[in-house]
Amino acid sequence: MNTMRCWMAALAIVSLMSCEKVSVPADYTQSSAFPTIYPDYVNVTIPINIAPLTFEADQPADEMVASYTVGDQVVVCGGQMQPEMDEWRELTAKAKGGAIKVDVYLRKDGQWTRYKPFNLYVSPDSIDPYISYRLISPSFVTYETLTINQRCLENYDESVIYDNFLCGHERDGQCINCHHYQNYNPGRMQFHARQTLGGTVVVYDGKMKKVNMRNDSILLAGVYPAWHPQLNLIVYATDKTVQNFHTVDSNKVEVYDTASDIIAYDVENDLVTNLENDSTEFEVFPAWSPDGNTLYYCSGHFVKGDTDLPKKWNVVTHYKNLKYNIYKKSFDPQTMLFGPRELVFDAAAVGQSAVLPRISPDGRFLLFSSGEHGYFHIWHHDADLWMMDLKSGEVRKMNEWNSPDTESYHSWSSNGRWVIFSSRRDDGTFTRPFIAHIDTNGHGSKPFELPSADPDYHRQFMRSYNIPEFMRGPVTIRPQDFADLLKGEAVNVKYTRRLGQNP
């Protein structure tokens, strides 16, 4: 490494702004390595409208200074890197379609070192302004503090959509899950509450109702919703779920079904019907194509092993043999009729189990999570993201996004240029949201962690992000309004043999 001087006289005319009124060191030693920072934002691609990417040193250092440069504009920060919002907006606007160059200087034992500069590539592709997610403690058996939250990606504002504590606690607890929106619209949403005052909350253009989805003709209430892009039609899985705890397996928890079907719910008429209910198949995770003409889902074939055991214990004993494939059914919006199931990806044939199919807004790519067995991949350290090109049929691992730990629960942005997914790559325990750009040919950029005002926030935050979903705006209904609805009576569904007909 060679000693150098920075900021020569030729740079004196540069417009130098400072978020902490600091300056870059005059004397330093040059390193050929990138700095080790947290979160790792080295050479990532970001949306033009994202909040400032704050970071801190992740290697021994007594002091840090960094400069952000675009053309003749420079922003200098000291300590933790936290650019002011106005300065950040000016930088990203100037760098649109190009890059912000970041120089990091670290002082250790009185000596400054300048590290190899890295870029923040600023895509002209914007991102949806909001995401929502569940926040849950990774304690496996408790959920009293569970909330559904929403976060503005253009700043750091976060608010609660609904809180478990509003309707119950301790023995009278409640568990909320499966928030979902019709076509990214926060005014058309639903979520499910189990146990105390349970029911499915459905919001549609200012109207709210609590629905009792249970019916003698279907297995149980609906979970894992998929709202049709245009119609008042929600498809669910309905399942009997069990979880077991490992004593030596690194995965800690195994969640599996002993029965699972696919049902459809007519929102306006409160009608339900079975779409798939083969007792030898565990159907789960429905998802619509963007045009609403195809329903995708996953199914694992149950093969009875020990004949003297009931079905539940057969699944427990042979859970590693259960692998899920991806299927589809055609759908005619005019007649409300579904076609027979068709195999899309035979994951079992390549020793995998594929779940959570999500179709890109242009209809070309199918993104899914895959692991060695089962369907609850959020607990599987081997889970990776895979992509199928529906045009060519090519299937590949998204190695540019995957890590040595869990990747699962992914969603597409409304313009199809961004994907958000949950990953345990930081510490193997807590899931954090990561965002990555994807081009029109299905090639992804390096993922970056959801920015926080304090770069150390996620290292101190003791809850996991679950099911991140993009939204075009915020949910404006108050949490207490949802609680009041849940405390009231539910609308009971009626069973019909075919959608579009009276029961």
Side-chain angles (χ1 to χ4, degrees):
M1 296 186 290
N2 300 317
T3 301
M4 303 176 61
R5 290 188 62 84
C6 65
W7 302 107
M8 305 301 290
L11 294 180
I13 60 172
V14 168
S15 171
L16 184 63
M17 297 178 290
S18 171
C19 54
E20 288 192 4
K21 304 302 180 185
V22 296
S23 60
V24 296
D27 294 288
Y28 55 82
T29 298
Q30 181 68 48
S31 172
S32 60
F34 288 121
T36 304
I37 60 173
Y38 176 81
D40 178 12
Y41 292 142
V42 174
N43 293 336
V44 297
T45 299
I46 62 175
I48 190 169
N49 59 326
I50 196 72
L53 270 61
T54 64
F55 64 88
E56 61 187 359
D58 200 25
Q59 61 189 80
D62 300 317
E63 189 177 354
M64 178 170 69
V65 170
S67 65
Y68 301 75
T69 305
V70 181
D72 63 353
Q73 184 170 336
V74 180
V75 173
V76 180
C77 291
Q80 292 180 323
M81 298 304 105
Q82 297 173 310
E84 297 291 336
M85 190 68 72
D86 290 345
E87 294 176 341
W88 177 258
R89 291 287 174 239
E90 291 179 20
L91 288 169
T92 54
K94 278 196 171 186
K96 181 179 179 180
I100 302 170
K101 188 182 80 166
V102 183
D103 281 281
V104 173
Y105 303 78
L106 296 179
R107 182 176 62 83
K108 179 67 175 174
D109 299 328
Q111 173 65 52
W112 283 98
T113 300
R114 180 195 182 207
Y115 287 83
K116 182 179 179 181
F118 64 87
N119 289 322
L120 301 175
Y121 300 101
V122 181
S123 171
D125 298 322
S126 61
I127 198 167
D128 296 291
Y130 277 82
I131 57 171
S132 60
Y133 39 79
R134 291 199 308 168
L135 291 178
I136 185 170
S137 301
S139 58
F140 317 122
V141 294
T142 62
Y143 42 79
E144 284 85 355
T145 59
L146 193 156
T147 61
I148 301 175
N149 283 31
Q150 58 189 356
R151 158 74 191 273
C152 180
L153 294 178
E154 297 178 339
N155 52 46
Y156 309 113
D157 291 348
E158 183 180 41
S159 60
V160 173
I161 296 176
Y162 183 68
D163 188 332
N164 254 352
F165 269 130
L166 291 175
C167 277
H169 63 282
E170 297 179 352
R171 293 185 179 180
D172 297 323
Q174 188 179 73
C175 179
I176 48 175
N177 58 22
C178 300
H179 58 281
H180 185 63
Y181 311 90
Q182 184 187 42
N183 205 22
Y184 307 92
N185 183 352
R188 299 179 181 180
M189 68 167 294
Q190 73 94 70
F191 68 87
H192 186 66
R194 291 184 295 184
Q195 296 176 277
T196 300
L197 302 174
T200 301
V201 172
V202 179
V203 177
Y204 193 89
D205 293 347
K207 300 176 183 178
M208 295 196 304
K209 61 180 173 180
K210 173 184 173 181
V211 180
N212 174 20
M213 201 75 68
R214 291 175 178 266
N215 185 277
D216 290 342
S217 297
I218 62 176
L219 190 60
L220 283 171
V223 293
Y224 310 127
W227 203 321
H228 190 276
Q230 294 87 34
L231 303 179
N232 263 347
L233 175 68
I234 306 176
V235 175
Y236 295 92
T238 175
D239 56 1
K240 294 182 178 180
T241 303
V242 178
Q243 66 175 358
N244 282 350
F245 299 89
H246 296 294
T247 55
V248 295
D249 196 301
S250 62
N251 284 331
K252 299 179 184 177
V253 184
E254 190 65 39
V255 179
Y256 48 85
D257 289 335
T258 58
S260 185
D261 297 332
I262 298 291
I263 63 172
Y265 166 57
D266 179 336
V267 176
E268 292 183 1
N269 299 303
D270 294 308
L271 300 175
V272 294
T273 191
N274 284 301
L275 299 182
E276 290 287 328
N277 61 341
D278 187 332
S279 62
T280 66
E281 294 285 330
F282 295 158
E283 302 98 347
V284 71
F285 292 133
W288 288 100
S289 61
D291 61 9
N293 294 330
T294 307
L295 178 71
Y296 291 83
Y297 65 96
C298 303
S299 185
H301 183 63
F302 172 72
V303 178
K304 189 171 176 61
D306 302 314
T307 55
D308 58 334
L309 290 175
K311 183 177 182 181
K312 173 181 176 179
W313 296 112
N314 261 274
V315 178
V316 173
T317 305
H318 303 284
Y319 72 93
K320 286 193 175 181
N321 296 328
L322 188 58
K323 299 182 186 293
Y324 286 73
N325 298 323
I326 299 176
Y327 295 87
K328 68 179 181 180
K329 297 170 74 71
S330 63
F331 175 69
D332 185 339
Q334 301 300 319
T335 62
M336 303 289 281
L337 290 175
F338 289 85
R341 83 171 189 173
E342 303 173 51
L343 181 64
V344 175
F345 177 56
D346 189 349
V350 293
Q352 290 288 301
S353 183
V355 298
L356 288 165
R358 296 289 184 268
I359 316 303
S360 61
D362 63 3
R364 179 173 175 182
F365 298 107
L366 189 160
L367 184 63
F368 60 95
S369 181
S370 190
E372 291 182 358
H373 69 273
Y375 84 98
F376 219 75
H377 286 347
I378 196 66
W379 289 123
H380 295 165
H381 293 295
D382 69 312
D384 284 328
L385 295 177
W386 291 44
M387 183 89 80
M388 170 179 269
D389 187 330
L390 294 174
K391 183 178 179 181
S392 68
E394 177 189 4
V395 180
R396 71 177 183 94
K397 277 188 176 183
M398 293 298 289
N399 290 326
E400 61 266 48
W401 291 350
N402 293 324
S403 73
D405 218 302
T406 305
E407 270 74 50
S408 188
Y409 283 131
H410 42 278
S411 299
W412 293 87
S413 66
S414 61
N415 63 6
R417 297 281 69 85
W418 303 95
V419 167
I420 189 168
F421 60 91
S422 296
S423 178
R424 296 190 193 273
R425 67 185 64 195
D426 280 353
D427 54 24
T429 299
F430 294 95
T431 52
R432 307 298 187 211
F434 281 76
I435 300 170
H437 187 263
I438 183 167
D439 65 22
T440 56
N441 294 315
H443 300 132
S445 67
K446 177 181 175 179
F448 65 92
E449 192 163 342
L450 177 70
S452 300
D454 178 358
D456 203 47
Y457 176 73
H458 282 146
R459 283 177 160 169
Q460 302 178 45
F461 189 54
M462 305 297 285
R463 295 167 79 186
S464 286
Y465 293 75
N466 186 238
I467 317 178
E469 291 275 351
F470 283 109
M471 307 147 67
R472 298 183 190 273
V475 174
T476 57
I477 299 170
R478 298 183 310 139
Q480 189 58 55
D481 292 336
F482 283 128
D484 291 343
L485 178 69
L486 283 167
K487 291 173 183 177
E489 294 297 318
V491 176
N492 294 317
V493 297
K494 300 177 288 293
Y495 187 80
T496 181
R497 292 185 179 275
R498 208 195 95 182
L499 292 174
Q501 294 183 340
N502 291 324

